[in-house]
Amino acid sequence: MEMDQMIIAVREALDDMKARDIVEIDVTNKSTVTDRMVIASGTSKRHVMSIGQHVQEEMKRQGAMPLGIEGADTGEWVLVDLGNLVVHVMMPDARSFYDLEKLWGFDSVTEAEVSQ
């Protein structure tokens, strides 16, 4: 599956589940692990787990098998590893604490590419 198709599929899966504050970050020149990241927030631990599960199921349905899923048992932070694309779904407190946008070189969420 091409990157553009994966991004669209992930966006749709996140939108289906009413994920909040969705941000896409291009880390191609900053990481050897992945090329793109999508970060989103959920409103509760159950919501975070459900969003992560839905992203996983939708990507499988479209033929993009996740390489791994982390955090689905606790709900604070779920990571769906799709190889060249990593999806992080987090509780707002965890998102604020880890501040992935800043970690990857953005001073704030507004400087990262925010999905509309």
Side-chain angles (χ1 to χ4, degrees), residues 25-71:
I25 300 176
D26 185 342
V27 294
T28 305
N29 297 320
K30 297 179 181 185
S31 172
T32 58
V33 177
T34 191
D35 293 333
R36 299 285 290 273
M37 289 187 187
V38 175
I39 306 167
S41 297
T43 58
S44 68
K45 290 181 181 182
R46 183 68 202 136
H47 189 215
V48 168
M49 291 187 294
S50 295
I51 294 168
Q53 181 177 358
H54 186 66
V55 169
Q56 175 187 7
E57 290 169 357
E58 282 301 304
M59 297 311 292
K60 282 182 182 178
R61 189 178 67 76
Q62 295 196 30
M65 294 300 291
L67 301 176
I69 309 293
E70 297 293 329

Side-chain angles (χ1 to χ4, degrees), residues 14-31:
L14 293 171
D15 286 342
D16 288 347
M17 297 300 293
K18 308 280 191 265
R20 295 182 172 190
D21 305 318
I22 302 166
V23 175
E24 297 169 20
I25 300 176
D26 185 342
V27 294
T28 305
N29 297 320
K30 297 179 181 185
S31 172

